């Protein structure tokens, strides 16, 4: 009887202790209990015992064993405080009565509530990227945007952004100009004017250091000096910087006369001056035409003691290259002359002038072969060929066929055909505004072709 009393007494205390004391809960069991509590139960079902109940019948559950977890118990609970059951119902505190599953009164199950879609949990790949910043850059440490930019400034990138002007530039030629003057209707520039602006943009390229261009031809009377003056005038007019043309022809060159002589000083006078320290000192020995082209003439042939040689050219270029952006050299007719050899040793561009005749074409071909066979192959890649009509009328040679033949030896677009011009044929001072439109356009195309080499690395 004593054993039965102890068994009955301890079983009652165990039931109460299982209901009141805190029990260690397994996390997996908690998740299973939460999942079970969120599942709606049919009406009339006991949440503790899933067997259906009738209003007049209740089923008493056996007391839970100490090794089982039947419900989720809050970690702490003050005396007299209500407890939250797994099914979400609140139970009022009771001052008296027994506690335990078998003493609970039957109650109706709660109404099922609509379940909300749970937010998707973050993926493991995202969590890895948060924990490891290098995952965003393929295993490398993440670099800030400022560091990835390096030394590049944001303002420099804006120079490549195209901006459309709100106002169109009015035309200055043809019917578009007359329409604008009469009706103020601006239809914009013509295709020819847009092509001209493109040529101007090419000519205005920045020439690093002092860029030197030689103009030569093996045959006299082909228009070599006139080409030098017209080319230099166009470059100076469009670019607006300092450009000097030097008469390097030892055989009575007349470059200063065709450009407009203003000073009687010569290269010999410049070289004899030992106090040249600024641009104004050089300007005292040069002449300037209406296009701001400066010319340095050679010694008078009748009073010269010797011919212009390689040493004179090297000394003159060493002085003027510090003050002029472009230097043009009007060479003589012989490639074996000392002055011509000096020019070829320093120039970065070359213009070969030939007349529109079979004789002039042969001399130009000989010049190209001589340059190729004497170590000037790189200079041929920066050369232009000018076919000049020195007499009016149709020449005795197919000029189109001649152009195709010369284009096989120089880059494309570097064979320029100059028409016969009345102003050039007069033999007087050459003024750029008095040249024909076609002649000026061809000279501008020649200047643009030479300007394409300003930013090339293979320079002398």
């Amino acid at each position: 009887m004593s054993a039965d009393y102890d068994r009955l007494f301890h079983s009652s205390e165990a039931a109460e202790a299982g209901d009141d004391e805190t029990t260690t809960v397994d996390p997996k069991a908690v998740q299973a209990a939460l999942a079970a509590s969120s599942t709606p139960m049919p009406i009339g079902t006991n949440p503790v015992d899933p067997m259906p109940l009738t209003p007049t019948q209740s089923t008493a559950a056996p007391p839970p064993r100490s090794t089982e977890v039947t419900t989720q118990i809050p970690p702490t609970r003050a005396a007299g405080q209500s407890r939250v059951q797994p099914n979400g119902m609140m139970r009022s505190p009771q001052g008296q009565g027994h506690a335990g599953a078998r003493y609970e009164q039957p109650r109706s199950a709660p109404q099922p509530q609509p379940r909300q879609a749970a937010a998707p949990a973050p993926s493991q790949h995202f969590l890895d990227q948060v924990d490891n910043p290098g995952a965003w850059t393929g295993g490398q440490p993440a670099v800030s945007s400022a560091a990835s930019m390096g030394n590049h400034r944001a303002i420099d990138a804006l120079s490549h952004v195209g901006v459309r002007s709100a106002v169109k530039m009015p035309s200055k030629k043809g019917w578009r100009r007359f329409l604008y003057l009469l009706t103020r209707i601006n239809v914009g520039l013509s295709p020819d004017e847009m092509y001209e602006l493109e040529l101007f943009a090419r000519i205005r390229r920045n020439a690093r250091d002092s860029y030197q261009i030689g103009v030569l031809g093996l045959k006299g009377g082909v228009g070599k000096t006139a080409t030098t003056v017209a080319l230099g005038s166009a470059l100076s007019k469009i670019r607006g910087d300092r450009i000097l043309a030097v008469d390097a022809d030892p055989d009575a060159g007349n470059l200063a006369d065709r450009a407009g002589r203003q000073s009687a000083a010569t290269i010999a006078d410049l070289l004899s001056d030992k106090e040249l320290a600024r641009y104004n000192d050089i300007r005292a020995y040069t002449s300037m035409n209406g296009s701001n082209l400066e010319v340095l003439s050679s010694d008078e042939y009748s009073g010269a003691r010797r011919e212009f040689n390689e040493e004179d050219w090297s000394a003159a270029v060493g002085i003027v290259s510090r003050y002029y952006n472009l230097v043009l050299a009007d060479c003589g007719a012989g490639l074996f002359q000392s002055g011509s050899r000096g020019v070829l040793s320093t120039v970065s561009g070359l213009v070969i002038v030939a007349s529109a005749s079979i004789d002039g074409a042969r001399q130009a071909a000989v010049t190209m072969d001589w340059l190729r066979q004497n170590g000037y192959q790189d200079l041929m890649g920066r050369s232009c060929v000018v076919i000049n009509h020195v007499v009016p009328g149709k020449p005795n040679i197919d000029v189109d066929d001649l152009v195709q033949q010369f284009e096989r030896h120089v880059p494309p677009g570097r064979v320029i055909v100059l028409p016969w011009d009345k102003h050039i044929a007069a033999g007087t001072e050459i003024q750029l505004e008095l040249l024909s439109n076609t002649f000026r356009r061809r000279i501008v195309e020649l200047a643009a072709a030479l300007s394409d080499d300003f930013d090339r690395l293979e320079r002398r």
Side-chain angles (χ1 to χ4, degrees):
M1 180 177 180
S2 176
D4 295 338
Y5 177 81
D6 293 338
R7 184 171 56 253
L8 179 60
F9 180 79
H10 289 293
S11 62
S12 176
E13 291 181 352
E16 294 180 358
D19 185 65
D20 295 337
E21 295 180 1
T22 303
T23 307
T24 302
V25 182
D26 189 9
K28 296 182 178 181
V30 172
Q31 295 181 0
L34 291 176
S37 62
S38 61
T39 304
M41 297 182 180
I43 301 177
T45 304
N46 190 348
V48 178
D49 188 1
M51 296 298 294
L53 300 177
T54 59
T56 59
Q57 180 183 1
S58 63
T59 304
R65 291 177 296 178
S66 59
T67 58
E68 293 182 356
V69 178
T70 59
T71 180
Q72 182 180 4
I73 304 175
T76 58
R77 179 170 59 88
Q81 184 179 4
S82 61
R83 294 184 300 176
V84 179
Q85 297 300 322
N87 56 4
M89 302 294 294
M90 300 294 294
R91 186 174 64 180
S92 302
Q94 298 178 359
Q96 297 179 354
H98 299 283
R102 59 180 179 176
Y103 293 102
E104 292 184 5
Q105 299 297 326
R107 63 178 66 90
S108 60
Q111 296 293 333
Q113 300 293 334
R115 299 180 59 184
Q116 298 181 355
S123 61
Q124 186 64 29
H125 177 66
F126 176 81
L127 297 178
D128 293 341
Q129 290 175 340
V130 173
D131 296 336
N132 182 18
W136 294 96
T137 57
Q140 300 297 331
V143 183
S144 62
S145 59
S148 62
M149 291 178 62
N151 297 327
H152 299 285
R153 301 187 306 171
I155 191 64
D156 297 334
L158 296 181
S159 60
H160 305 285
V161 179
V163 179
R164 181 180 300 176
S165 177
V167 180
K168 295 185 295 185
M169 183 181 298
S171 178
K172 298 181 180 180
K173 299 179 181 179
W175 63 268
R176 297 170 183 264
R177 174 176 173 79
F178 288 105
L179 180 63
Y180 178 74
L181 294 177
L182 294 176
T183 64
R184 310 306 293 180
I185 297 177
N186 186 6
V187 295
L189 300 176
S190 64
D192 183 74
E193 290 176 308
M194 296 179 64
Y195 172 67
E196 187 178 46
L197 292 179
E198 180 184 355
L199 294 176
F200 289 173
R202 293 166 57 187
I203 294 174
R204 294 190 181 103
R205 283 192 176 99
N206 182 29
R208 297 174 297 178
D209 299 331
S210 178
Y211 198 91
Q212 302 169 21
I213 301 173
V215 183
L216 57 87
L218 291 184
K219 184 177 177 58
V222 296
K224 176 173 52 64
T225 301
T227 302
T228 304
V229 175
L231 175 62
S233 299
L235 288 170
S236 179
K237 189 75 171 180
I238 297 172
R239 293 178 58 87
D241 51 5
R242 298 172 182 173
I243 299 178
L244 177 67
V246 179
D247 193 346
D249 188 357
D251 298 330
N254 62 342
L255 178 65
D257 297 329
R258 299 306 303 269
R261 185 186 294 271
Q262 295 176 343
S263 174
T266 62
I267 296 179
D269 300 328
L270 176 68
L271 297 179
S272 62
D273 192 347
K274 304 302 181 181
E275 298 181 357
L276 301 175
R278 59 183 65 89
Y279 165 72
N280 289 337
D281 298 335
I282 309 296
R283 181 66 183 87
Y285 297 96
T286 63
S287 301
M288 181 182 291
N289 66 358
S291 300
N292 295 332
L293 172 67
E294 297 184 40
V295 176
L296 183 60
S297 63
S298 60
D299 292 341
E300 187 69 27
Y301 188 77
S302 59
R305 299 179 181 179
R306 58 179 177 83
E307 69 176 7
F308 182 82
N309 56 27
E310 183 176 357
E311 290 76 13
D312 295 335
W313 169 258
S314 300
V317 167
I319 296 173
V320 302
S321 61
R322 299 194 300 266
Y323 306 100
Y324 294 89
N325 300 90
L326 298 178
V327 178
L328 278 67
D330 183 16
C331 302
L335 293 177
F336 289 101
Q337 295 175 350
S338 179
S340 299
R341 289 295 188 93
V343 171
L344 292 177
S345 64
T346 61
V347 295
S348 299
L350 192 63
V351 179
I352 303 173
V353 183
S355 60
S357 62
I358 187 61
D359 188 23
R362 288 196 183 101
Q363 297 299 325
V366 170
T367 302
M368 299 170 68
D369 293 339
W370 186 92
L371 293 172
R372 188 178 295 106
Q373 296 172 9
N374 288 270
Y376 298 100
Q377 294 89 346
D378 58 338
L379 190 58
M380 285 297 302
R382 299 187 298 272
S383 299
C384 294
V385 178
V386 172
I387 303 176
N388 188 21
H389 288 74
V390 295
V391 294
K394 188 176 182 179
N396 61 350
I397 190 173
D398 189 353
V399 178
D400 295 336
D401 190 14
L402 185 61
V403 170
Q404 294 179 3
Q405 295 299 324
F406 283 145
E407 285 181 346
R408 298 170 55 186
H409 305 280
V410 296
R414 290 177 176 260
V415 180
I416 308 298
V417 179
L418 296 179
W420 180 82
D421 189 84
K422 183 178 180 179
H423 178 58
I424 296 291
T428 58
E429 176 185 349
I430 298 175
Q431 300 182 22
L432 191 63
E433 293 77 9
L434 298 180
L435 298 174
S436 64
N437 295 334
T438 305
F439 194 96
R440 281 203 309 268
R441 174 58 60 84
R442 298 294 180 267
I443 287 294
V444 171
E445 291 176 347
L446 174 62
L450 293 170
S451 301
D452 291 339
D453 299 326
F454 285 171
D455 53 355
R456 292 177 59 176
L457 299 178
E458 57 271 20
R459 287 187 49 195
R460 292 181 179 270

